[in-house]
Amino acid sequence: MKTLLWGCTLCVVLHAVSVIGRLHPECEILTEIKRDEEQCLQSIKENSNASGQGCQAVWDGVLCWPYAAYGQIVNVSCPRIFLQFNPTLGTITRNCTSAGWSVRSPANLTTCVMDAPVLTAEASYYGTIQTIYTVGYSLSLAVLSVAVFILLMFRRLHCTRNYIHVQLFATFILRSLSVFIKDAVLFGDADIDHCTFSTAGCKISVVFWYFCMLTNYFWLLVEALYLSSLLVVPFSYGKSYFWWWSVLGWGVPTVCTVAWVITKLQFENTECWDVIEGSPYWWIIKGPIVASIAINFVLFINIIRILVQKVMPREVHTAISSQYRRLTKSTLLLVPLFGVHYIVCAFPPDGAVLAIRLYLDLCIGSFQGFIVGVLYCFMNQEVQTEIYRRWLSRKLNSYGAVPVIGKTQMDTSC
């Protein structure tokens, strides 16, 4: 069992490395072409002493053409980055004539990209993705704002567990805001090349986005650690413990973000800091996120194991179906709290990696805050009871006798 658990954890880590920090698709193309240009120019420089009659090696802005003799026809494959759009690489042809290189054939690189109908479908697909995650983050922002207000307004709800919930809700709120701010700064003006422009405002928006992303992952980790500790050591933690959770949830992301900003300023102060392909300094941000995902996965499996032991019937005549329903319900309640949707595509089908990543990270991920707010605030029986009491208080000007409402599987006493 332990071998299987750690094997799955390794798969999760490897998947997280491939997912976190991926560039915008259009920026990936420009970055890859720029890298090809540097390699081409370096090769031309190293072979500059080559003599002979013919067409000299040249970089034409997209492709690198080697030296060719007069009358030679040269075929060059499209840049490998275009494999994102086509299953096979096309080729571009040029003739070396006595007047120099001929025009590329085809001149507009149509063999490298998709057909127009496919490109239209892709544009519609990405437009749909943007609409979905905009709606998701907007709903999360609204629901979580109300949830934070409720948990802070009622004194009876003040306890370590709900304090941790409030912090997690706050990170989801910040993450939603950071996405809207980043999109407005980077993509608000269609005339600006967001892959290359560099301003203080765009860098601040990107830093804020990474910080909010880090805090969100770490407060998901805090929730997992806190629930695990309650199951192992069933006693109520005081406020003094909450400060240690705060150091992990806010302190570690702050230190990592500051360290990343300093290294970027000193060694890699280029573009808007959102292009991190091939940057070793990105591990300052990516490393802690990968670690938190892996730890959360281990804790999730361990908690499910504990729940199985607690929920499974001890006697043969006990209703097994009802126990399975309780276990299933508890597991489903843990999925959004632990961010398990970051794990489920560790083994995506061939050809569906980008689509799955977009749906999980942007679509499902944008609704995660909304789901967590509904499950752990509005569907929480303690919250419902307190709101009912407050309603009775206003109606009867006293608390009076209030019907007792049973707790859910995930409620714990404050």
Side-chain angles (χ1 to χ4, degrees):
M1 177 65 182
K2 289 184 178 179
T3 303
L4 177 61
L5 176 60
W6 286 109
C8 292
T9 302
L10 177 60
C11 294
V12 171
V13 171
L14 293 176
H15 170 67
V17 170
S18 66
V19 168
I20 300 171
R22 188 180 174 92
L23 291 175
H24 305 291
E26 66 275 20
C27 295
E28 284 189 84
I29 296 175
L30 295 177
T31 301
E32 185 68 24
I33 290 178
K34 184 177 180 180
R35 187 181 296 114
D36 291 345
E37 179 184 8
E38 293 174 353
Q39 295 176 354
C40 179
L41 295 178
Q42 181 64 28
S43 177
I44 292 175
K45 182 179 179 181
E46 293 174 353
N47 297 283
S48 59
N49 295 328
S51 59
Q53 298 292 326
C55 300
Q56 300 299 316
V58 64
W59 170 259
D60 68 354
V62 178
L63 299 170
C64 187
W65 298 92
Y67 169 83
Y70 290 140
Q72 183 178 353
I73 300 176
V74 179
N75 296 316
V76 175
S77 297
C78 298
R80 294 188 59 81
I81 190 65
F82 287 101
L83 285 174
Q84 290 192 18
F85 309 110
N86 276 329
T88 58
L89 287 176
T91 58
I92 306 298
T93 302
R94 293 182 79 175
N95 296 333
C96 178
T97 67
S98 58
W101 286 106
S102 65
V103 178
R104 287 185 308 219
S105 177
N108 54 3
L109 303 179
T110 53
T111 58
C112 295
V113 297
M114 301 182 208
D115 295 335
V118 180
L119 286 173
T120 302
E122 286 290 312
S124 176
Y125 169 76
Y126 287 117
T128 302
I129 292 289
Q130 184 180 20
T131 301
I132 293 175
Y133 82 69
T134 300
V135 172
Y137 281 124
S138 299
L139 280 175
S140 297
L141 183 62
V143 169
L144 290 169
S145 298
V146 176
V148 169
F149 175 77
I150 291 174
L151 292 179
L152 293 178
M153 183 178 69
F154 297 107
R155 293 184 60 86
R156 290 175 181 267
L157 299 177
H158 291 185
C159 61
T160 302
R161 171 175 55 84
N162 285 337
Y163 288 152
I164 292 176
H165 285 345
V166 168
Q167 304 304 312
L168 178 63
F169 294 171
T171 63
F172 276 115
I173 292 173
L174 290 175
R175 186 167 184 173
S176 299
L177 291 174
S178 68
V179 169
F180 294 142
I181 294 173
K182 180 178 68 70
D183 284 355
V185 173
L186 294 180
F187 310 110
D189 190 347
D191 297 329
I192 294 178
D193 181 6
H194 63 272
C195 296
T196 58
F197 89 113
S198 177
T199 63
C202 79
K203 291 177 181 177
I204 292 173
S205 68
V206 170
V207 170
F208 180 60
W209 177 52
Y210 287 147
F211 171 74
C212 295
M213 182 170 59
L214 268 171
T215 57
N216 189 229
Y217 278 106
F218 271 84
W219 275 104
L220 287 171
L221 176 60
V222 168
E223 288 276 8
L225 291 171
Y226 179 73
L227 182 56
S228 298
S229 64
L230 287 181
L231 292 174
V232 175
V233 184
F235 67 85
S236 180
Y237 288 86
K239 291 184 178 180
S240 59
Y241 287 91
F242 174 73
W243 296 110
W244 289 108
W245 299 126
S246 298
V247 169
L248 177 61
W250 295 108
V252 174
T254 299
V255 171
C256 294
T257 304
V258 170
W260 182 70
V261 169
I262 293 174
T263 55
K264 291 290 287 186
L265 287 172
Q266 294 294 324
F267 307 109
E268 204 176 51
N269 191 12
T270 59
E271 283 98 25
C272 200
W273 294 4
D274 63 327
V275 180
I276 42 77
E277 182 72 15
S279 172
Y281 309 112
W282 173 235
W283 274 100
I284 300 174
I285 300 290
K286 182 166 66 175
I289 293 178
V290 171
S292 70
I293 292 175
I295 296 173
N296 258 15
F297 179 72
V298 173
L299 293 175
F300 177 76
I301 297 299
N302 186 55
I303 289 177
I304 297 302
R305 179 185 63 81
I306 295 174
L307 290 177
V308 169
Q309 295 174 352
K310 290 180 177 291
V311 172
M312 285 295 99
R314 297 180 181 276
E315 300 179 6
V316 177
H317 64 270
T318 306
I320 297 179
S321 60
S322 64
Q323 302 298 335
Y324 274 118
R325 283 196 298 269
R326 290 178 59 197
L327 178 60
T328 302
K329 182 179 178 181
S330 299
T331 303
L332 292 177
L333 285 171
L334 289 174
V335 168
L337 190 66
F338 280 56
V340 179
H341 66 280
Y342 297 117
I343 300 171
V344 294
C345 64
F347 303 100
D350 294 338
V353 177
L354 181 58
I356 291 178
R357 183 191 69 83
L358 287 175
Y359 270 112
L360 288 176
D361 286 1
L362 297 179
C363 295
I364 298 179
S366 66
F367 285 94
Q368 183 185 1
F370 168 77
I371 296 172
V372 168
V374 170
L375 290 178
Y376 290 89
C377 180
F378 298 103
M379 293 182 65
N380 186 297
Q381 297 300 330
E382 292 175 353
V383 174
Q384 293 177 0
T385 300
E386 195 59 30
I387 293 176
Y388 184 43
R389 283 174 175 162
R390 181 61 62 92
W391 177 77
L392 282 181
S393 175
R394 289 179 178 273
K395 184 177 180 179
L396 305 176
N397 199 25
S398 67
Y399 275 90
V402 180
V404 178
I405 303 177
K407 292 184 179 182
T408 63
Q409 304 256 349
M410 298 306 298
D411 287 339
T412 57
S413 175
C414 283

